[in-house]
Amino acid sequence: MPGTSTHRVRTVLGRSAGWLVVGLSTLYAVSAVGMAVTELLALLGAGPDAKPRVVPPLFVLHALTGAVALVTGAVQLQLGRPSSSGHARAHRTLGRCYLAAAWTTSVAGAATAVVFDVGVAGQAGFAVWSASWFPTTTIALRHIRARRVRAHRDWMIRSFALAFVFVFVTFDPVRQALESAGLPRTVVYPVALAGCAIVDLAAVEVWLRRDRPGAPPSRGRPYATPRMAARPCEPDGRCGSGRSAPAPT
């Protein structure tokens, strides 16, 4: 049937795109950890001089926690909604790691933005990114505590999209073309950051609306694992045998 075939194609394409995001995030994370380790060894006098950084300790913290946020966020979103008790435990563990890493990276990013040598426009762009990532992640946490799973998922995707902006910037051909043209960093970074953020976040919003046509983004379904209920939760908050869904721990 055409509808079934279309759904299967979308499912395959979605999972393939998800694993591509996991791969790119892991690649970027490995690179970030490598730079952080090199910088740390240089600071400790145990290695060769590293690339000059404006605030080396903050750069190390930003790179390490950013790597954790990228990998845990990508894997958690790719694994999807928990389908077993073991899956649920892994989902919560990955989520907690992502929350801590995202909050830390956003705060460290805000601190380094004011001294980053990319001009006023570039500094403003990084500051806006930090000011957006922290509350977006917090909103996702508040939704899951209120058992609004759908809204939690949507805001986690938005949060990860903000994290993925820097992967996007790294592999952005426009940024590379601007650098090859010899333009200064004060031009390259603001243009690349703004362009990648707009494309990235716009694509996420379009995907969320196509994935859930007609439903408002602020609503969600209560949380329940297979151990809690024999069937999915109903929109009124009742699960399985009629018990309300408990808040996740």
Side-chain angles (χ1 to χ4, degrees):
M1 292 183 289
T4 303
S5 299
T6 301
H7 177 72
R8 288 177 178 174
V9 170
R10 288 184 62 185
T11 300
V12 171
L13 290 177
R15 291 193 65 81
S16 299
W19 284 117
L20 176 62
V21 169
V22 172
L24 290 175
S25 298
T26 303
L27 180 63
Y28 186 91
V30 170
S31 174
V33 170
M35 290 187 290
V37 170
T38 300
E39 186 70 36
L40 184 60
L41 291 175
L43 286 173
L44 297 174
D49 292 339
K51 179 181 178 180
R53 307 288 179 183
V54 178
V55 187
L58 277 180
F59 170 79
V60 172
L61 177 65
H62 185 270
L64 292 177
T65 57
V68 172
L70 280 171
V71 174
T72 56
V75 172
Q76 188 196 45
L77 290 175
Q78 178 62 5
L79 293 178
R81 187 172 179 175
S83 57
S84 66
S85 58
H87 189 179
R89 284 194 297 271
H91 183 89
R92 287 193 294 268
T93 299
L94 287 170
R96 288 164 181 162
C97 291
Y98 175 80
L99 286 171
W103 283 333
T104 304
T105 308
S106 63
V107 172
T112 57
V114 296
V115 291
F116 196 18
D117 186 21
V118 291
V120 176
Q123 291 172 345
F126 281 104
V128 169
W129 161 77
S130 299
S132 302
W133 193 11
F134 193 102
T136 300
T137 307
T138 304
I139 291 172
L141 174 63
R142 293 184 64 184
H143 277 305
I144 197 58
R145 284 184 169 177
R147 304 191 298 274
R148 294 187 291 266
V149 176
R150 172 71 76 170
H152 165 71
R153 170 180 171 272
D154 289 354
W155 282 96
M156 278 295 290
I157 291 173
R158 293 184 179 108
S159 173
F160 181 74
L162 288 168
F164 197 73
V165 163
F166 287 92
V167 180
F168 205 176
V169 169
T170 300
F171 294 102
D172 180 24
V174 175
R175 179 190 63 80
Q176 296 175 8
L178 292 174
E179 289 180 338
S180 299
L183 293 176
R185 288 162 55 90
T186 54
V187 174
V188 172
Y189 273 86
V191 172
L193 181 60
C196 290
I198 290 172
V199 171
D200 192 18
L201 296 175
V204 164
E205 291 301 321
V206 170
W207 186 85
L208 288 175
R209 281 158 177 72
R210 286 177 61 88
D211 185 55
R212 190 187 64 264
S218 61
R219 296 182 65 85
R221 288 182 178 271
Y223 178 90
T225 65
R227 180 176 294 182
M228 301 173 193
R231 57 186 173 84
C233 295
E234 301 298 334
D236 63 0
R238 302 181 70 81
C239 301
S241 60
R243 292 176 299 171
S244 296
T249 57

